[in-house]
Amino acid sequence: EVQLVESGGGFVQPGRSLRLSCAASGFTFDDYAMHWVRQAPGKGLEWVSGISWNSGSIGYADSVKGRFTISRDNANNSLYLQMNSLRVEDTALYYCAKDISGGMATTGLDYWGQGSLVTVSS
Amino acid sequence: SYELTQPPSVSVSLGQTASITCSGDKLGDKYACWYQQRPGQSPVVVIYQDTKRPSGIPERFSGSNSGNTATLTISGTQAMDEADYYCQVWDSSTAVFGGGTNLTVL
């Protein structure tokens, strides 16, 4: 059974940093691209970042470029999102999602975690 | 940046066919997928690569994509299909989601 478990969310002041983690199990992690998708309270889905199976291709939404860094550790089946210079508008539930394929150009995300809530407020 | 437009809401009678559209410039040249999100739950992919249905997704879900419009069709809509639905494509090295459509089953 595929499982994606996010952790690391919490309450943080604007300008501070947080690191999200996603522990994956139930599939061959290094065969697939992975993504972070967020959802602000009561709003729609927003893609944040993606990384190919071998970290060779990485992409970011314009809204987080230069502030967030995605990475993965295939030896430990883990995905990460380092979030710096956090803003109030980054407040959201952050989902870790598995791609259907190994490349970053996703044609579908077939498994999602339950999400990790990040609240940015003074 | 690329934009996808969905109607905010669609209503359908129980057992009838629901169609949810997603519009974007030359959308038919890209692969579209669709996600269902029930209240308080994580999204679930119901259609990927325009027309493919993942295992476990009922046959009543189908997709099409041509021109500037992708369509998710739910035949014989059931009460459990009441949810938010999002379309998504890949464009210029980013994933783009539509704004979402709330499907109400009457």
Side-chain angles (χ1 to χ4, degrees):
Chain A
E1 178 193 6
V2 172
Q3 284 197 321
L4 299 171
V5 180
E6 302 94 339
S7 60
F11 186 95
V12 64
Q13 292 180 323
R16 305 299 292 266
S17 299
L18 273 180
R19 189 192 196 207
L20 300 183
S21 299
C22 172
S25 60
F27 65 102
T28 305
F29 185 71
D30 55 10
D31 277 350
Y32 297 95
M34 298 293 295
H35 300 260
W36 290 99
V37 178
R38 69 185 181 183
Q39 187 169 33
K43 302 297 184 182
L45 301 174
E46 179 188 15
W47 180 79
V48 174
S49 182
I51 186 168
S52 63
W53 66 278
N54 63 351
S55 304
S57 293
I58 287 175
Y60 299 97
D62 286 344
S63 57
V64 306
K65 199 172 294 182
R67 300 187 298 123
F68 290 10
T69 302
I70 192 172
S71 61
R72 63 189 295 162
D73 180 349
N74 285 347
N76 290 297
N77 294 343
S78 295
L79 177 71
Y80 304 102
L81 186 68
Q82 177 67 42
M83 303 184 295
N84 298 333
S85 303
L86 282 162
R87 304 168 179 169
V88 171
E89 55 265 35
D90 294 320
T91 294
L93 187 63
Y94 284 73
Y95 293 104
C96 165
K98 172 188 168 295
D99 203 303
I100 285 173
S101 68
M104 190 183 65
T106 181
T107 56
L109 304 176
D110 58 353
Y111 289 94
W112 298 60
Q114 291 302 304
S116 183
L117 184 61
V118 173
T119 303
V120 185
S121 175
S122 55
Chain B
S1 60
Y2 195 78
E3 292 186 359
L4 294 173
T5 301
Q6 298 181 235
S9 62
V10 168
S11 297
V12 61
S13 298
L14 187 67
Q16 297 304 301
T17 297
S19 294
I20 300 173
T21 59
C22 175
S23 299
D25 185 49
K26 298 180 182 178
L27 181 53
D29 292 344
K30 310 176 191 299
Y31 273 135
C33 58
W34 291 90
Y35 302 91
Q36 175 194 68
Q37 186 179 32
R38 296 189 176 109
Q41 297 187 17
S42 301
V44 172
V45 63
V46 293
I47 294 291
Y48 68 100
Q49 291 179 10
D50 293 341
T51 60
K52 297 181 179 179
R53 196 174 54 250
S55 60
I57 300 301
E59 291 184 6
R60 63 180 181 274
F61 288 88
S62 63
S64 64
N65 186 14
S66 179
N68 294 322
T69 303
T71 303
L72 173 68
T73 302
I74 310 172
S75 304
T77 306
Q78 301 185 9
M80 65 187 300
D81 299 331
E82 189 162 282
D84 292 327
Y85 291 85
Y86 297 89
C87 58
Q88 179 250 307
V89 298
W90 184 262
D91 177 80
S92 300
S93 301
T94 64
V96 180
F97 285 93
T101 298
N102 179 257
L103 177 67
T104 299
V105 181
L106 304 172

